[in-house]
Amino acid sequence: SISSCAFSPDGKRIISASWDSTLKLWNAETGKEILNLRHTKDIRSCSFSPDGKRIVSASGDKTLKIWDTETGKVVMLLMGHSDVVHSCIFSLDGKKVVSSSYDETLKIWDTETGKEIASFRGPRMHFQSCSFSPDGKLIVSGYSDTTLKLWDAEEGKEVTSLSGHNDYVSSYAFSPDGKQIVSGSSDNTLKLWDIETRKEIVSLSGHSSNVTFCTFTPDSKWIVSASQDNTLKLWDIETRKEIATFQSLARIECCCFR
């Protein structure tokens, strides 16, 4: 099954990662496969660089790979985690990659040298995922407990912990303006958080199973969520109501906007 997917910045290509150890690049208009890339074990996450020239992937083989999107060649092999690498994403300036692992660490990597430049250890629980804030100053991470944590990306220090879910937090994302975070959980809910006050704004209920993915639309007006209940849901942030539901034949692990 597909574990992760993303559009290229120009919207012309799609990258998909799979549990079958493959990473595929697709033409978004024709649906044709452009590249077929591989790790030695399942691939948990993938992301385009801001300029669309590179892809980073995270794998059960404990490594990350940075790929050239034109040649399909591995530009860098990032080694340092001692367990499954669950998540990875570029910073918005493309100079860094952050990764999370079941080894209970977050790591930041320099994309020019391939070197690890920081490592943060969690509280004896593995990280579910991670993401940079739009300005690159904060990192949000979720744990196999019920909390979200915000970290100072430069100093590696915990800034705050956000508590409110009743089961582990499986997905989260910063709003494009960096003022809010949305989180999805195995308690079947989404929560919207205010970064400045560190408080929950609203809890959104409607899914009947684990929320596997959530993100904002580019204009910050809506939230989209995917769930193991086989649905995608669209939520209006202003009214805080569900405005659309899309039914699938199988559980949905990820989604992305063009």
Side-chain angles (χ1 to χ4, degrees), residues 143-158:
Y143 288 88
S144 51
D145 62 355
T146 62
T147 64
L148 283 169
K149 291 188 184 295
L150 288 175
W151 303 80
D152 185 302
E154 293 297 327
E155 298 183 7
K157 295 180 180 180
E158 182 182 325

Side-chain angles (χ1 to χ4, degrees), residues 28-180:
E29 294 183 0
T30 65
K32 291 184 178 180
E33 181 182 312
I34 301 170
L35 292 173
N36 188 344
L37 313 172
R38 298 191 71 89
H39 274 266
T40 57
K41 288 189 176 181
D42 53 280
I43 303 175
R44 305 294 183 95
S45 179
C46 60
S47 171
F48 275 99
S49 61
D51 62 8
K53 294 180 179 180
R54 292 184 176 185
I55 296 164
V56 64
S57 56
S59 173
D61 64 15
K62 307 177 188 178
T63 71
L64 297 106
K65 291 182 179 182
I66 296 180
W67 310 80
D68 185 294
T69 59
E70 292 298 323
T71 65
K73 293 182 179 180
V74 176
V75 178
M76 292 178 186
L77 177 64
L78 308 180
M79 301 176 68
H81 285 295
S82 59
D83 206 336
V84 172
V85 189
H86 186 71
S87 178
C88 60
I89 194 168
F90 280 94
S91 58
L92 287 188
D93 61 9
K95 294 180 179 180
K96 299 175 183 178
V97 163
V98 63
S99 59
S100 64
S101 170
Y102 286 176
D103 66 9
E104 301 175 7
T105 66
L106 284 176
K107 293 184 183 292
I108 298 179
W109 311 82
D110 187 305
T111 58
E112 292 184 3
T113 65
K115 292 182 178 180
E116 178 187 321
I117 55 178
S119 184
F120 317 151
R121 183 162 290 277
R124 297 185 178 181
M125 293 186 182
H126 65 250
F127 291 93
Q128 290 293 327
S129 186
C130 57
S131 182
F132 279 107
S133 60
D135 62 8
K137 294 181 179 180
L138 294 173
I139 294 171
V140 62
S141 63
Y143 288 88
S144 51
D145 62 355
T146 62
T147 64
L148 283 169
K149 291 188 184 295
L150 288 175
W151 303 80
D152 185 302
E154 293 297 327
E155 298 183 7
K157 295 180 180 180
E158 182 182 325
V159 176
T160 192
S161 180
L162 305 176
S163 299
H165 283 293
N166 297 319
D167 206 335
Y168 76 85
V169 185
S170 48
S171 179
Y172 32 86
F174 280 96
S175 60
D177 61 11
K179 294 180 179 181
Q180 297 175 334

Side-chain angles (χ1 to χ4, degrees), residues 165 182-183 189-192 202-204 207 211 214 223 225 235:
H165 283 293
V182 62
S183 59
T189 70
L190 296 107
K191 291 184 182 294
L192 193 62
V202 66
S203 182
L204 304 173
H207 285 294
V211 181
C214 57
I223 290 168
S225 59
W235 309 81

Side-chain angles (χ1 to χ4, degrees), residues 2-6 17 212-214 226-227 232 251-256:
I2 304 298
S3 57
S4 179
C5 60
T212 54
F213 187 85
C214 57
S227 173
L232 279 176
R251 73 181 190 182
I252 305 171
E253 297 290 344
C254 62
C255 56
C256 53

Side-chain angles (χ1 to χ4, degrees), residues 15-32:
I15 188 71
S16 62
S18 174
W19 291 85
D20 67 4
S21 307
T22 65
L23 187 70
K24 292 181 183 286
L25 185 65
W26 308 85
N27 184 305
E29 294 183 0
T30 65
K32 291 184 178 180

